[in-house]
Amino acid sequence: MAQAAQDLVREPYAGTDDEEFSRLTEPFRRELLAHCYRMLGSMHDAQDIVQETYLRAWRGFAGFEGRSSLRVWLYRIATSACLTTLNHRSRRVLPSGLGPSGDPDQPLTVAGPDVAWVQPLPDAALPAVDPATIVTTRSSVRLALVAALQYLPARQRAVLILRDVLAWHASEVADLLDTTTDAVNSALARARAHLARTGLTEDMFSEPADPADRLLLDRYAQAFENADTAALLRVLREDVTMEMPPHLTWFAGRDAVIRFLTTTVFDRAGAVRTILATANGQPALATYTRGVDGLYHPHGLQVLTLTRTGVSRMVSFHDRSLFAPCGLPTRIDGTGRPAGGRLVLQP
């Protein structure tokens, strides 16, 4: 994407103080976080790499002579750090990438500590971009795409993101990765071919701006709170899938999803409360379950894929540490109001 106004930084930076360093580099922090997240599939890992990037940049700032733009220099540092990290860590996945769908009448299988899961990215962490590019930015961090990217070799992944998401020229990518333009074009062709085989569809990247989407989301949330199987049937697509990291077990098809929820979640109306949220540029639903204190405590963050014909994918992350980054409260009462903790950020 064009960054001409910000990229034209050409003067040496020797003698620049900490305050000036922050002024010049902070505008790039969020977009670097989104870039590292696409590379690594983890919000926490991306935050660590961005911190490392800024530390390395600060240490080397006096020697930066402006032979490239400041933005490109920061991307070079961040991408190099991501590639180093990927050389020493296993690929992040979602349950559907590890085996066939399960039987809802069988116990759930929990993954061992050796499995690294793709994590969601709260929308609050996305870069503040102009209206002309916001759709592209959100689409580029959709959960399905980020999960698919994790199957690419690390350098192919970097090439695809830099070329197809950030719209860099092949020569710019070659310079950043210290390779040739031909090698970049070859890696890009292989990466595109792989993604074409993953089954990604246009529905997974549509912008959820239609009022009907909000109505569908409200109906979905009400079905959970009321333990209403019939209502849920009306909002799920027949081919819906449901995944629940850290459980290896996942379900394919509306009948299997409904049967699982009916026997394990929908035991009684009022046992679950929900708050609407956003993550990965997609609608999300935070679910809370009632505790012995009568209050509702975090259970899972569902990242949802909505289509014109209903909910097509539900990925419920059973990780309470995700609630705070999404601005969600630590406890709520029976009306859905915060009962101590963070305030709710409504979408």
Side-chain angles (χ1 to χ4, degrees), residues 30 38 41 70 86 99 111 126 159 175 186 189 193 203 207 213 220 251 262 316 324 338:
R30 283 193 174 187
R38 297 181 193 106
L70 180 60
L86 290 169
L126 292 176
V159 167
D175 181 63
S186 176
D203 279 342
E207 182 68 6
D213 291 332
Y220 177 87
F251 303 113
T262 300
S316 182

Side-chain angles (χ1 to χ4, degrees), residues 4 23 60 81 137 143 150 191 199 203 239 269 275 287 289 296 323:
R23 184 185 69 81
T137 301
L143 193 60
Q150 307 312 302
D203 279 342
D239 61 351
I275 293 178
T287 58
T289 54
Y296 292 78
F323 278 58

Side-chain angles (χ1 to χ4, degrees), residues 12 41 85 88 279 302 321:
T85 297
H88 298 92
Q302 299 183 18
S321 71

Side-chain angles (χ1 to χ4, degrees), residues 44-67:
H44 299 318
D45 287 353
Q47 289 171 331
D48 290 343
I49 293 299
V50 170
Q51 287 296 103
E52 179 183 339
T53 296
Y54 273 75
L55 178 60
R56 290 172 58 183
W58 176 77
R59 287 172 173 168
F61 206 51
F64 175 60
E65 298 177 349
R67 283 190 286 266

Side-chain angles (χ1 to χ4, degrees), residues 144-191:
L145 175 60
V146 171
L149 288 173
Q150 307 312 302
Y151 285 85
L152 294 173
R155 288 178 69 85
Q156 278 189 32
R157 195 181 313 176
V159 167
L160 183 77
I161 293 169
L162 292 167
R163 290 283 284 117
D164 284 358
V165 175
L166 298 174
W168 286 29
H169 297 297
S171 58
E172 295 174 310
V173 177
D175 181 63
L176 185 145
L177 295 176
D178 294 320
T179 187
T180 66
T181 300
D182 286 344
V184 167
N185 290 333
S186 176
L188 180 62
R190 293 195 301 273

Side-chain angles (χ1 to χ4, degrees), residues 327-346:
L328 294 161
T330 56
R331 296 178 302 173
I332 59 176
D333 61 23
T335 67
R337 293 188 177 89
R342 300 174 66 89
L343 295 177
V344 179
L345 299 180
Q346 292 288 358

